[in-house]
Amino acid sequence: MVFNSLQFIIIYPFLFLMYHFIPERHVKARNLYLLIASYALYVCWKPSGALVLLLVTAITYGLARLLGHVRHPKRFFTIGIVLAILPLLVFKYLDFINKTLHDGLAHVGFDIQLPGLNWAVPVGISFFTFQSIGYCFDVYKKRIPPEKDFLTYALFISFFPSIVSGPINKASLMLPQFKKKRPRLDYGKAVEGMKMVLWGLLMKTVVADRAGIYVDTVMPDYQDYNGITCFVASLLYTIQIYADFAGYSLMALGVGKTLGFELTENFRRPYFSYSVTDFWRRWHISLSTWLKDYVYIPLGGSRCSKARNYFNIIVTFLVSGIWHGANWTFIVWGLFHGLAQVVEKMLGQQKCEYGALGKTVKIVITFLLVNFAWILFRMPTIEDACGVIARIFTANSSLSIFYDDPQTLMLTVASVLLLILKDVRDEFYSDKMPLMNSRHLVVRWATYVMLTIVILLMGVFGADQFIYANF
C-alpha cells in the first residue's frame, strides 16, 4: 500500500489517531502498535514478503546480540552478513545470475536453465536488507551497542513510512527515537509533516506520473520517433524519476513527522549539482551515505594512493548499480557514475571555482551527463539504451516533437515548470516567498488549497506504484 493510493489515504487517519490515543508514557505499547501496523501495511503490499522481512530481521538481530560473545567475531560477522544478504541474492539476482550463466555456457554447448524468483521479490528488500546490514556493521565496529529489545529492532527494520522505498535510516538515528517518550501530539511536527506529504503527493501525481505518460509512450518504441522526441522523452524521464522518488521520500519523511519521528533526508535538489560528485551528495542521500560508510571507507576511502582511491570509487558505484537492479544496464549505469567521478577527480573538477557563469555551465553539463545515464537506467537492455542515444544524435529532416494533444502537452509543461520554480526558489531564494511557511494564516491556507486543487485537476491517479519500490 503506497502513500498515493486511496486505501492509504483512507486508512492512515485512523492509524494516526489510534497511535496518538495511546498515552505517551506507554512507549512499548506505542512501538508494538507501530510494529503491527507496519507489518499489516506490508502484507497489503506483498504478503509472502513479510516472512522474508521477519527472517532478515531475526538473523541480523541475533547476529548483533552474539557478536560480543563469540571468540572470532569477524568470522561470525561474515557468516551472519552472508545469511542476511542471501534472501536478496536469491529473490532479486537469481534470474540475472541464471541468465548470465546460461548465455555463457550456451557458447560451449551447455544448455542449463534454473527457475528464477523475480516474480516473488519482496517489496523493498534492498532497502531493509541494507538497513539491517548497516546496523550489524555499526555493532561490529562498536559504534552502537546491540539492541536488546527484539520488538524495537523489528520496528526499526519494518517502520512503514520508509520500508518500501527508503530512506535507508541508520540505527543511531532511529533506535533512540523509538525508545524515548514522544508527545501525544507534536502539533508543529504534524503540520510540517502534512506540508511534506502535500508537496510530495504533488510531485508524484502531477509531475512524475504525468511525465511518465509521455515517457512510456516514446521509450518502448523509440525506433518510431525522431531524435528530438527521444531527447524530450529522456529529459522527461529525468524529471519523472526525480519527482517520483523525491516525492515518495518527502511523503515518507512527512508521515514520519506526523508520528513524531525524524527520518533521514534523501534529496536536496540534485539537478542543481555542479559535478557528478556533487550530484551524489544531493541524490538518494541515504544510499550515498550507506555506500560511503559501509563500502567506500572500509575499502580505504581517500586515505590511500590515487590509483587505489579511484578503484574504491569504481567499486562503490559498481555496488550502487548492482543494488538498483539485476540487469547489465544498472551495472553500466553505476560504472558510468563511478568513472565520471574518477575523471572529475583526475581533472580537479569535483569542486566549482569558476564563479556564477562557470557554475551554471557546469550545472548544465552535469545535468546532461546524468540525463544520458538515466537512459541506461530506463531501458531494458544496453542495446536499447544505445539505440535511444543513437536515435537522439541521428540527423532527421523532421524537427517536430511528438505529443498526444495540446491539452496534455500544456499540462505536462505546466507541471514541470511548477517543479522547476519550486526547486529554484528552494535552492537560490529560500528566504523569499515562504508560501507554506508564511506567518500569515490566509497565505498559508490559500497555498494549501491551491496545491490541493492542482493535485485534483492535474494529477494522474491510478499509477500507484513508485519506481524505486522495484528496487
Side-chain angles (χ1 to χ4, degrees), residues 67-79:
L67 277 175
H69 305 283
V70 292
R71 182 173 296 179
H72 303 289
K74 184 176 182 179
R75 186 183 306 168
F76 193 81
F77 172 75
T78 303
I79 294 172

Side-chain angles (χ1 to χ4, degrees), residues 81 83 160 173 192 219 237 272 285 370 373 404 408 446 458:
I81 292 301
L83 290 175
F160 73 87
L173 171 68
E192 189 63 29
M219 287 295 205
Y237 182 67
F272 288 109
I285 297 170
V370 170
D404 286 323
T408 301
M458 296 176 57

Side-chain angles (χ1 to χ4, degrees), residues 90-293:
V90 170
F91 282 100
K92 190 170 178 178
Y93 299 103
L94 184 60
D95 275 0
F96 175 67
I97 296 170
N98 180 25
K99 184 178 184 305
T100 302
L101 288 174
H102 176 267
D103 293 345
L105 292 173
H107 291 295
V108 293
F110 290 96
D111 186 10
I112 301 174
Q113 189 82 22
L114 299 173
L117 289 171
N118 271 22
W119 57 272
V121 176
V123 175
I125 187 171
S126 297
F127 288 94
F128 66 71
T129 300
F130 268 34
Q131 188 160 297
S132 60
I133 290 174
Y135 160 77
C136 290
F137 192 92
D138 286 342
V139 172
Y140 173 67
K141 290 293 185 180
K142 301 187 184 304
R143 296 169 183 165
I144 60 172
E147 175 54 48
K148 295 180 180 179
D149 183 24
F150 178 76
L151 294 181
T152 302
Y153 177 70
L155 176 58
F156 162 64
I157 299 299
S158 65
F159 193 39
F160 73 87
S162 58
I163 188 172
V164 175
S165 293
I168 304 171
N169 297 294
K170 282 195 168 189
S172 57
L173 171 68
M174 296 304 298
L175 288 177
Q177 294 187 68
F178 289 131
K179 291 179 178 181
K180 72 178 183 181
K181 291 183 180 179
R182 300 178 292 276
R184 179 166 290 187
L185 176 62
D186 189 325
Y187 179 77
K189 276 190 177 182
V191 171
E192 189 63 29
M194 290 309 299
K195 293 176 186 177
M196 290 180 167
V197 171
L198 182 62
W199 183 252
L201 187 60
L202 186 144
M203 290 180 73
K204 166 62 176 171
T205 60
V206 175
V207 184
D209 290 343
R210 185 156 293 284
I213 295 173
Y214 191 91
V215 173
D216 293 340
T217 300
V218 174
M219 287 295 205
D221 301 305
Y222 64 91
Q223 305 94 332
D224 300 331
Y225 300 94
N226 62 22
I228 294 178
T229 297
C230 289
F231 182 59
V232 170
S234 73
L235 292 175
L236 284 176
Y237 182 67
T238 296
I239 296 296
Q240 179 195 5
I241 195 167
Y242 167 52
D244 187 280
F245 193 19
Y248 174 89
S249 295
L250 201 57
M251 283 189 269
L253 267 65
V255 170
K257 271 186 179 289
T258 63
L259 297 172
F261 297 96
E262 297 287 345
L263 277 63
T264 304
E265 181 186 16
N266 224 13
F267 287 88
R268 201 177 297 129
R269 300 169 295 284
Y271 295 149
F272 288 109
S273 304
Y274 50 78
S275 66
V276 177
T277 303
D278 187 41
F279 174 80
W280 280 99
R281 296 190 192 106
R282 295 165 170 258
W283 175 274
H284 204 172
I285 297 170
S286 63
L287 175 63
S288 302
T289 303
W290 194 98
L291 291 169
K292 182 188 73 175
D293 291 346

